[in-house]
Each structure stands twice: as C-alpha cells, then as structure tokens.
C-alpha cells in the first residue's frame, strides 16, 4: 500500500476524478484540487454522452482539412476556425498536420484504449452503485452520401483491427435499429458494443466513491503555481487574497483545457488546444416527445453531431468544433443547428424546453491523450483527451495510476538498496 505517498490531482473533471479513484484504490493519500465548487463543472458537464469506441477516428485526415476549407465562411459550420492568428493556434495546427501520417495507427490505438476503458468504467459504476442513465443499446453512425459511407467503411477496417466490430447497415435496417429516426440517409454503421449516459452523473458519483476510498476532494481551490524538485512538488493555491503552498510526493495534471499553462510551469510542452463544442439538452416533458425521441445513441457523420437519450425525459444533442481560444460564449447561431437537427430527424420531439451549453475539449494536435510522467520528478499527466474524454478516462486513469505506483516502487527500491546491501 502507498498510504504514506501524497499525490495531488489538479482538476475535478472526469479525468481528475477517475485518476483520484484509481490512485485512492491503490492506497495513495490523494488530494484532488478543483477550482469550482463541485466536480465536473467544465467540459465534463454536458457533453454528447457517448462511450464510443466507434468514434475513435482521429481527425488528422485530409477530409477534415477539406471540410474546414469548405465551411470556412459559414457562421453555422460544424467546424469553425476563427482567423485571428495566435502562436498557440498556429503551433497546434502545424503539429496537427505533422500528425497526419499517424492517422491509421492513432485511430487504432484510441479504439483499443476505448475498449479497455469500458471494462473498468462499468465495473466501477457497478461496484460503487453509480446511476448515470447508462444505455447499452449501441451507437448508430448516419451517412448522407456514398463518399461519407465509403470513408466509414475504411474506418471500420481500422476499428476491427482494434477489436471493435461494427457493421454497415441499410436505411431500412437503420430504422429497425432506431424506429424513431426520420430523414433521408444513404446508409449507416452500427456498433452494438457502444453505449451512452450522463457524464456529469457518472463523474460526481465516482467523486463520492473516491472520497469513500479515502481521497480528499478540495473544491474552490485555484492552483496558481507548481514547482517541482527532487524533494517533491510544491503546489500553490490561491484562496481569497492569500496563497498557500503544500508539498506532495507527486502531482497529476488533469486540468483539461488549462493543462498547457500548468505544464509550462514545470517545463513541459503539452500543447492542448481548447476546441469549443456546444450541446443542447432537451427536456422531453410530454409523452409524445418521449415516444418520438431516439433511444439508440447516434452520430451524424456529415454534420458531426451526436445524440444520446438520457433517461426517460432528456435528450442530449452535441457537436461542432470551434477554434476560438478559451472563449466560452454560447452563441445562438451555433446552437440553432443542433435544435434544427432535432426538428429534421425527430419532428415530433418538442424543442421548447432546451438548455444550451458550451465546453472546451482539451485536444492534443495528434488527438492522443498525454498520459504518464513529465520531465520533472513527481510530475504526471492525464489530460488532452479531446473529443473522447469520457470514453477513454477509465483506461488512462488506470495507466497513470500504474505508472505512479511503478515509479514509487522503484524509488522505494533505490532507497532500500543500501540497507539491503548492509
Ligand atoms: C460538445 C462536446 C461533446 C462531447 N461529447 C463527448 C462524448 O460523447 N463522449 C466522450 O467520450 N467525450 C465527449 N466530449 C469530450 C469530453 O467531454 C472531454 O474530453 C472531457 O470531459 C474532458 O475531461 P477533463 O477532465 O480533461 O476536463 P474538464 O472536465 O474540463 O476538467 C478539468 C477540470 O480542471 C479544473 N481546473 C483547471 N485549471 C485548474 C486550476 N488551475 N486549479 C484547479 N482546478 C483547475 C477545471 O475547473 C475543470 O473542472 C465532448 C466534448 C464536448 C465539448
């Protein structure tokens, strides 16, 4: 057991909370520091709700570039790059293009991670009694034209290499899988093993479980400075007008879109860009809307929207990618395509009562999360999960917790060796 080893986790989103849980269960003395009053109040608040190995395709493909150019001047485009140049944006895009040759390998690696994550996530939810509107009815990808469909056929081959079976389906089969679906589609792909649920309910439930396993969850704690040295990592927190510093044996940076700045303080380049997305949560108040809304989680590949049924009376629609720095404004012209999509595909679902939301995907240029040690001793990362943070979180939490345990074991061995020799 590692009870004497103190670990600070920065960030109480899904990556921080899963990391806290995985470390607390291994016996570490865990302190999670979160600047908000509760867990999961930023990107892990109202995302698309999918646990989707079938959506593991990385975006470093020439089709993403051509779509971005095509949509460049449309304010309601699914992918929108604000032209104002910043060093952060330019460096990110140049690394994004540099990672295009790894498209196949990275897609397979992400899909494998997603498959590995499932078993932990379901087991944890089961053991801890977490209710999160889980629906294990698969994910159906919708394709509007032949080109889109054929691209998906090629992606399916990559997914299969990662152990994710998905099958091509005709428009008729699509309506058997999801009878509520309207609209014209060329075809689809169905992944039975995928599922969906509410990330906020899952994360807050797991935060309570981590606490039961001994983790300290400290809210309203803004981490402002990190200093790493051979004696440990000093973490400075701003509280009111004063700052306090505490030393830990190790720190895990799980700060979502803020991870890049914290990493720079300890000498690492973790080039996370905040890629903004939006969601609307529709309240299905009447029985007619409840019956007309889909049960199966969907991905509309052309417009890059996802949709998940949350319990009886909520439907979440999410998507769009906007490159506009840390801007979190909720724009009416970016929300409108989400409600329009519901109207087109599920015309009998009421869009009267909706809650709009915007969040920042913490995205690395190659779309691969950064998991493991940094340059300085005692510094670790579990961040940069981009469009798949919830799907991957349980796997990456296990990976970083194992890496920390291994590093502590080797430190113990080094300290123990002289005694053993004597
Ligand atoms: C529109 C949209 C739809 C999506 N749909 C899906 C989906 O269907 N499936 C899926 O798997 N993923 C999806 N994602 C991605 C997923 O939601 C994210 O990858 C994931 O939530 C990121 O979790 P995180 O813990 O890294 O970041 P966050 O949830 O943002 O957590 C980071 C936390 O760190 C805290 N923090 C930051 N800096 C400090 C500091 N200095 N001191 C203290 N605390 C700090 C923040 O307050 C925050 O709570 C979607 C994202 C978006 C935007």
């Amino acid at each position: 057991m590692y009870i004497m080893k103190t670990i600070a986790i920065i960030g109480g989103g899904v990556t921080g909370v899963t990391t806290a849980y995985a470390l607390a269960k291994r016996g570490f003395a865990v302190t999670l520091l979160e600047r908000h009053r509760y867990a999961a109040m930023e990107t892990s608040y109202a995302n698309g709700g999918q646990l989707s190995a079938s959506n593991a395709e990385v975006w470093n493909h020439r089709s993403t570039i051509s779509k971005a150019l095509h949509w460049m001047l449309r304010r309601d485009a699914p992918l929108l790059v604000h032209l104002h140049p910043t060093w952060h944006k330019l460096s990110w895009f140049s690394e994004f293009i540099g990672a295009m040759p790894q498209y196949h390998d990275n897609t397979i690696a992400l899909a494998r991670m997603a498959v590995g994550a499932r078993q932990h996530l379901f087991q944890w939810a089961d053991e801890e009694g977490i209710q999160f509107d889980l629906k294990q009815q698969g994910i159906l990808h919708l394709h509007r034209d032949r080109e889109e469909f054929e691209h998906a056929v090629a992606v399916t081959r990559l997914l299969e290499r990662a152990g994710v079976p998905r099958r091509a389906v005709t428009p008729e089969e699509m309506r058997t899988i999801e009878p509520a679906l309207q609209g014209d589609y060329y075809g689809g792909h169905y992944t039975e093993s995928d599922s969906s649920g509410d990330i906020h309910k899952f994360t807050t439930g797991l935060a309570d479980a981590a606490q039961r396993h001994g983790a300290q969850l400290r809210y309203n704690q803004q981490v402002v400075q990190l200093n790493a040295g051979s004696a440990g990592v000093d973490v400075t927190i701003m509280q009111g007008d004063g700052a306090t510093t505490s030393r830990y044996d190790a720190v895990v940076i799980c700060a979502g879109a803020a991870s890049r700045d914290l990493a720079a303080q300890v000498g690492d380049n973790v080039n996370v860009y905040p890629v903004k997305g939006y969601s609307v949560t529709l309240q299905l108040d009447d029985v007619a809307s409840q019956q007309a809304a889909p049960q199966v989680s969907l991905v509309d590949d052309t417009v890059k929207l996802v949709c998940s049924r949350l319990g009886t009376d909520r439907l979440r629609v999410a998507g769009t990618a906007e490159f506009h720095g840390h801007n979190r404004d909720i724009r009416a012209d970016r929300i409108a395509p989400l409600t329009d999509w519901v109207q087109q595909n599920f015309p009998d679902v009421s869009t009267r009562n909706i809650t709009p939301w915007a969040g920042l995907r913490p995205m690395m240029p190659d779309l691969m999360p950064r998991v493991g040690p940094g340059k300085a001793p005692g510094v670790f990362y579990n961040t940069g999960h981009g469009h798949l943070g919830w799907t991957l979180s349980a796997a990456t939490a296990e990976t970083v917790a194992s890496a920390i345990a291994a590093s502590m074991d080797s430190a113990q061995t080094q300290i123990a060796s002289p005694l053993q020799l004597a």
Side-chain angles (χ1 to χ4, degrees), residues 10-16 33-36 38-52 199 221-224 254-259 262 275-279 306 308 318-320 357-362 382-392:
I10 304 173
V14 74
T15 59
L33 304 165
E34 164 56 51
R35 63 186 167 192
H36 290 294
Y38 311 100
M41 296 306 287
E42 293 208 359
T43 319
S44 306
Y45 186 74
N47 78 354
Q50 296 195 322
L51 293 165
S52 52
I199 185 175
Q221 310 279 317
Q222 169 88 27
V223 174
V224 289
C254 304
S259 297
L262 290 168
V275 181
K276 185 157 102 170
Y278 294 86
S279 76
V306 307
S308 297
T320 80
W357 170 83
L360 303 176
R361 297 177 189 86
N382 183 16
T383 192
H385 296 58
H387 69 307
L388 273 193
W390 188 24
T391 303
L392 304 175

Side-chain angles (χ1 to χ4, degrees), residues 16 49 65 72-73 81 128 138 159 170 180 276 281 332 334 377 392 409:
I65 311 275
M72 203 137 193
L73 298 174
V81 182
E128 306 295 348
L159 296 176
T170 62
K276 185 157 102 170
T281 307
R334 308 285 298 153
L392 304 175
D409 282 343

Side-chain angles (χ1 to χ4, degrees), residues 265-277:
Q265 291 181 9
V266 283
D268 289 312
N269 174 24
V270 178
N271 202 5
V272 165
Y273 194 89
V275 181
K276 185 157 102 170

Side-chain angles (χ1 to χ4, degrees), residues 58-65 68 79 89-103 106 271 275 323 363-367:
V58 300
W59 298 1
N60 311 74
H61 191 269
R62 60 179 187 286
S63 62
T64 312
I65 311 275
L79 178 63
K89 209 188 287 177
L90 291 172
S91 69
W92 193 92
F93 274 112
S94 98
E95 286 179 46
F96 177 92
I97 290 164
M100 284 170 74
Q102 282 87 54
Y103 164 83
N106 286 349
N271 202 5
V275 181
F323 289 78
M363 198 169 271
M364 294 294 288
D366 60 0
L367 276 87

